[in-house]
Amino acid sequence: MLLHRLSLCVGLPLSSCHSHTVARAASQGKHARVRPGMPSVRQWSNVPFLTVPLARAHGKSFAHRGELRQAKRVVVKLGSAVVTRGDECGLALGRLASIVEQVAMLQSQGREMMIVTSGAVAFGKQRLRHEILLSQSVRQALHSGQNALKDMSLPVLEARACAAAGQSGLMALYEAMFTQYSTCTAQILVTNLDFHDDQKRRNLNSTLHELLRMNIVPIINTNDAVVPPPEPNSDLQGVNVISIKDNDSLAARLAVEMKADLLIALSDVEGLYDSPPGTDDAKLLDTFYPGDQQSITYGNKSRVGIGGMEAKVKAALWALQGGTSVVIANGTNPKVTGHVITDIVEGKKVGTFFSEVKPAGPTVEQQTEMARTAGRTLASLHPDQRSEIICGFADLLTEKREEILSANKKDMELAGNGGRMTPAMMNRLSLSSSKLNSLAIGLRQIAVSSQDSVGRVLRRTRVANNLELEQITVPIGVLLVIFESRPDCLPQVSALAIASGNALLLKGGKEATHTNRILHELAQEALALHGVRDAIQLVSTREDVEDLCRLEKMIDLIIPRGSSQLVRDIQRAAKGIPVLGHSEGICHVYIDAEASIDKVIKIVRDSKCDYPAACNAMETLLVHRDVLRAPLFDQIIDMLRTERVKIHAGPRFASYLTFSPSEVKSLRTEYGDLECCIEVVDSLQEAIDHIHKYGSSHTDVIVTENEETAEQFLQQLDSACVFWNASSRFADGYRFGLGAEVGISTARIHARGPVGLEGLLTTKWVLRGDGHTAADFSEQGSMKFLHENLPVAHPLHGQRTSN
């Protein structure tokens, strides 16, 4: 009858529920307990419910994490360590609240959610301890006096009694929490016998389907008050037989019975490791394949609960065999508990994903290890050898021109048929013979400049007699470069990585898949000349950018090449890895009162119109107020109109006009198109202040014939690139003579502006002594510090370095 009451509430607003007499009891904290033996109530079928069609036919598990977004029916298993507090007495209310919120949110998206929960024993233990202590304290006070209270001890509590005492309270807690999200729940208690009895199993299946159809979240638990011991040798003996001896096996059996798409098993470990967690060499396995079962070992069991990791893995593999995908993850980590379930459903790299499909190539983690190992060898090569690799790559770009252009044509056709790319994006995607020739020339410039890059001595100091210190350049380590539809970025960045001795991971946009693949093959062919083929890896798996940004123990620097949105997304995601780049290119050109007419027209046209989508294109034109009254201003406006540049008026500029262009919505806007803002300032200082307030510290220009004014602008303005009488488009590694660039940085440390070879190097200190100790230089010691600066000699060719 209670379940019938709940059914009346589903799909109605709370006010409507309360209008029913039978519904009031449910709204006051009561909940439905459904027993597998109960007959199904068919009169519910006339209640209308909105359901989302299944994303796929059940029968085969998902092969990749990204497919988990399609999961319609999801079972969430909450282990004892997740539900209970650290003292094993009582529930972890904060964790439960965040889990309930996530389940309710996924349910509201149209998914069918089921929970398999532990916690009844812990909750009951808390209640029984409280009752026993209260009872003992009263008896002791009556018979023995207050001093005897100190000697009270708690008896050992039997688990079945705890479960009986805690089950109703646990369910009432779930009911109260889900009510906050207008979500109804129903409780189902099962034992192993319910699955081995065909009639009971059919009843259970029918009940669960009815509840899911009515948008109710079933909360399932083993009936620990009456559950018998597990039957020996009956566990995991095929898809149709699994003994329910813990909630891991219960969740697996339930998921297969209900043809669930996904089983999320939350415990107190991050997932499955290749060795016991906590050991030095333990590595979290992102994906686990059934064939790898013999290559892992298991650690200790959880602090609570009757299962262990071995039981979880067996249950997961059993569910996987039955067609349900499985993820084992940590549900107790306060940093991720609030979004662990939603992250898994969104396909993010959380915990260990079980898959029957093993990829043909290495994982991204394996690629990173391969790149680091080969990168260290690359850094130790003779400078001439690194130059030879780069020149070989340049030769291949011209020799294999036809194959490259053929692959690029295929990408262009696919992109054109998709219809989602703008003309500017198509232009960036396109390669031509002239572009390949320019790339080859740039690579050869890098080959020349790499001769004295790695191992260059920057400083030498004689610390004391026979104790000399050197500071030398070394590679940063492993670089991750993420770039959008610009395949010409791949050879440029690869050459810079080779020249600087860095290992490199490349993640390109899918729109340039074929072009990137052949360019990467050519890069590896050149690297193979000196046995370092694996130093550059192209990530072609389905890794999300956010997942790559979490490899903080494997990647040393991330360099995004693409839109400002891409850069911002990566900066947010890469919390533990430095990001080199800029999120915006809000570049200014300031026209001083003493500017030359000819120079102004040339510089403004080039800065805005040469390549409007570039990050170094002008976005705001600042004009001294005296220029407004001069013929020069009319010529500027005529030129912009001729070039079809849409003008937005800044607040002050608009105040000067009777009929002004559309007023700018924000002075901090990167248009990336034939649009710009015009604003008026009263002085040089006001121009500098405006740029500091609204600019992005990228590239800013002054046009003036007054050298003193120009020098003041160059000295006071705090941007990565500051120009006098030159277009903002010169902010480019190739134009600076760097050969190529990995990007433009507006950061304050390490590298700033166009980042070429020098920006991919760091330093280390090398100290050569002869048995020296710090004690030798104490007050009682026999040695004195000299700290003499020594002349810096060029490094010998063939000098070996390592990072």
Side-chain angles (χ1 to χ4, degrees), residues 57-233:
H58 187 82
K60 193 170 184 179
S61 59
F62 294 119
H64 307 283
R65 277 187 184 269
E67 297 173 347
L68 296 180
R69 298 183 183 94
Q70 305 172 29
K72 163 73 175 177
R73 185 169 291 170
V74 181
V75 176
V76 178
K77 183 263 175 180
L78 306 178
S80 300
V82 176
V83 178
T84 61
R85 297 199 310 246
D87 60 4
E88 303 175 23
C89 183
L91 303 180
L93 297 180
R95 283 201 293 268
L96 277 181
S98 66
I99 288 169
V100 165
E101 181 179 17
Q102 294 172 79
V103 171
M105 186 184 76
L106 292 171
Q107 181 89 350
S108 69
Q109 293 174 356
R111 291 183 170 87
E112 298 173 342
M113 304 298 295
M114 292 179 279
I115 294 178
V116 175
T117 183
S118 302
V121 173
F123 196 42
K125 186 185 295 184
Q126 182 186 37
R127 295 181 64 183
L128 293 181
R129 278 185 177 181
H130 178 75
E131 293 297 326
I132 291 170
L133 282 173
L134 184 63
S135 175
Q136 284 184 347
S137 64
V138 172
R139 289 199 304 271
Q140 293 284 4
L142 290 174
H143 297 96
S144 305
Q146 293 293 331
N147 292 332
L149 291 175
K150 300 177 182 178
D151 300 325
M152 286 193 304
S153 60
L154 286 171
V156 176
L157 299 175
E158 205 273 329
R160 290 189 178 90
C162 292
Q167 195 63 247
S168 60
L170 176 64
M171 190 60 204
L173 181 62
Y174 275 119
E175 181 75 12
M177 287 182 171
F178 273 106
T179 298
Q180 302 303 310
Y181 303 96
S182 302
T183 301
C184 288
T185 58
Q187 180 184 22
I188 298 180
L189 298 177
V190 298
T191 65
N192 198 31
L193 297 177
D194 295 323
F195 287 95
H196 288 283
D197 184 293
D198 289 341
Q199 183 59 47
K200 286 186 176 182
R201 194 170 76 249
R202 284 194 294 271
N203 291 342
L204 172 62
N205 192 291
S206 175
T207 299
L208 286 170
H209 275 92
E210 289 290 340
L211 293 174
L212 293 176
R213 189 180 66 82
M214 293 187 297
N215 206 32
I216 294 175
V217 177
I219 299 178
I220 306 104
N221 196 358
T222 52
N223 192 353
D224 293 326
V226 299
V227 66
E231 300 174 23
N233 303 320

Side-chain angles (χ1 to χ4, degrees), residues 342-384:
T342 52
D343 280 355
I344 289 170
V345 174
E346 289 171 8
K348 296 180 180 178
K349 273 196 171 183
V350 179
T352 299
F353 171 63
F354 285 69
S355 174
E356 292 184 299
V357 180
K358 196 164 188 174
T363 66
V364 68
E365 290 84 1
Q366 291 170 333
Q367 283 185 290
T368 308
E369 288 291 346
M370 292 161 59
R372 185 180 290 279
T373 301
R376 286 177 173 147
T377 304
L378 175 66
S380 69
L381 292 178
H382 189 286
D384 288 339

Side-chain angles (χ1 to χ4, degrees), residues 555-718:
I555 294 170
D556 300 300
L557 179 67
I558 300 176
I559 304 171
R561 295 287 305 270
S563 66
S564 57
Q565 186 61 50
L566 171 71
V567 179
R568 282 193 295 269
D569 290 344
I570 291 172
Q571 288 173 334
R572 279 195 297 267
K575 296 178 181 178
I577 310 174
V579 178
L580 189 151
H582 64 282
S583 59
E584 293 176 308
I586 304 175
C587 303
H588 294 73
V589 174
Y590 168 55
I591 309 301
D592 184 56
E594 300 179 63
S596 161
I597 294 178
D598 292 339
K599 291 178 184 176
V600 167
I601 299 300
K602 286 180 60 180
I603 290 170
V604 172
R605 178 188 284 117
D606 190 74
S607 296
K608 179 70 260 184
C609 307
D610 177 62
Y611 190 5
C615 63
N616 58 11
M618 181 193 78
E619 304 294 1
T620 298
L621 178 64
L622 292 179
V623 180
H624 192 283
R625 65 177 180 182
D626 292 346
V627 174
L628 285 180
R629 307 182 186 95
L632 170 60
F633 185 71
D634 293 333
Q635 291 179 261
I636 295 172
I637 297 299
D638 290 341
M639 180 273 295
L640 292 174
R641 285 175 176 169
T642 302
E643 297 290 343
R644 298 185 177 181
V645 177
K646 183 178 180 180
I647 297 173
H648 302 275
R652 288 199 60 191
F653 179 45
S655 69
Y656 281 92
L657 305 173
T658 305
F659 300 101
S660 69
S662 61
E663 189 165 341
V664 69
K665 294 180 181 178
S666 170
L667 290 168
R668 195 178 286 112
T669 301
E670 182 179 18
Y671 298 100
D673 206 341
L674 284 173
E675 298 181 61
C676 74
C677 168
I678 297 180
E679 183 58 312
V680 177
V681 293
D682 291 336
S683 64
L684 169 68
Q685 190 58 51
E686 190 173 321
I688 293 172
D689 292 342
H690 178 102
I691 295 171
H692 282 158
K693 184 175 182 178
Y694 299 109
S696 60
S697 301
H698 191 295
T699 301
D700 298 291
V701 177
I702 183 172
V703 184
T704 183
E705 294 303 301
N706 188 315
E707 184 175 352
E708 184 178 344
T709 300
E711 287 300 325
Q712 187 179 347
F713 183 88
L714 298 177
Q715 294 301 319
Q716 291 188 16
L717 195 61
D718 187 21

Side-chain angles (χ1 to χ4, degrees), residues 245-505:
K245 62 182 182 181
D246 55 39
N247 275 344
D248 294 312
S249 51
L250 168 60
R253 180 63 187 261
L254 186 75
V256 173
E257 283 282 340
M258 293 299 295
K259 296 181 171 59
D261 301 308
L262 173 62
L263 166 61
I264 300 174
L266 299 182
S267 66
D268 57 354
V269 294
E270 301 299 326
L272 191 60
Y273 288 78
D274 57 359
S275 56
T279 58
D280 290 339
D281 297 328
K283 292 182 181 178
L284 179 66
L285 299 177
D286 166 60
T287 307
F288 182 74
Y289 308 99
D292 296 341
Q293 192 172 5
Q294 303 303 319
S295 64
I296 62 170
T297 56
Y298 298 99
N300 297 325
K301 285 172 53 178
S302 168
R303 59 175 173 82
V304 289
I306 60 175
M309 184 53 73
E310 187 170 8
K312 289 175 176 57
V313 172
K314 286 182 178 180
L317 291 174
W318 190 88
L320 188 68
Q321 183 184 356
T324 296
S325 295
V326 184
V327 175
I328 295 178
N330 191 341
T332 64
N333 187 338
K335 294 182 179 179
V336 300
T337 300
H339 47 82
V340 60
I341 298 173
T342 52
D343 280 355
I344 289 170
V345 174
E346 289 171 8
K348 296 180 180 178
K349 273 196 171 183
V350 179
T352 299
F353 171 63
F354 285 69
S355 174
E356 292 184 299
V357 180
K358 196 164 188 174
T363 66
V364 68
E365 290 84 1
Q366 291 170 333
Q367 283 185 290
T368 308
E369 288 291 346
M370 292 161 59
R372 185 180 290 279
T373 301
R376 286 177 173 147
T377 304
L378 175 66
S380 69
L381 292 178
H382 189 286
D384 288 339
Q385 292 174 307
R386 286 194 295 271
S387 295
E388 192 177 353
I389 292 172
I390 299 170
C391 289
F393 191 13
D395 293 338
L396 288 170
L397 290 179
T398 54
E399 292 172 10
K400 304 288 185 178
R401 177 185 290 109
E402 295 305 320
E403 292 94 323
I404 298 171
L405 295 179
S406 175
N408 186 245
K409 182 181 179 182
K410 188 179 298 184
D411 287 328
M412 292 288 290
E413 289 173 351
L414 290 172
N417 293 336
R420 291 180 296 178
M421 294 186 65
T422 64
M425 294 173 67
M426 292 291 287
N427 185 47
R428 288 196 291 269
L429 177 61
S430 173
L431 288 181
S432 62
S433 293
S434 60
K435 274 191 179 181
L436 291 176
N437 289 335
S438 297
L439 282 171
I441 292 170
L443 263 58
R444 292 187 179 95
Q445 288 180 351
I446 295 172
V448 173
S449 63
S450 68
Q451 286 293 319
D452 62 348
S453 57
V454 181
R456 185 171 74 256
V457 179
L458 303 178
R459 179 186 302 176
R460 292 180 64 224
T461 304
R462 180 176 288 116
V463 178
N465 289 329
N466 296 322
L467 186 64
E468 291 190 5
L469 178 68
E470 287 183 346
Q471 184 185 22
I472 65 172
T473 58
V474 294
I476 289 174
V478 178
L479 313 177
L480 168 61
V481 177
I482 302 169
F483 56 101
E484 293 177 315
S485 54
R486 289 195 61 173
D488 57 338
C489 174
L490 192 152
Q492 292 175 346
V493 173
S494 297
L496 287 171
I498 296 167
S500 56
N502 283 290
L504 179 61
L505 285 181

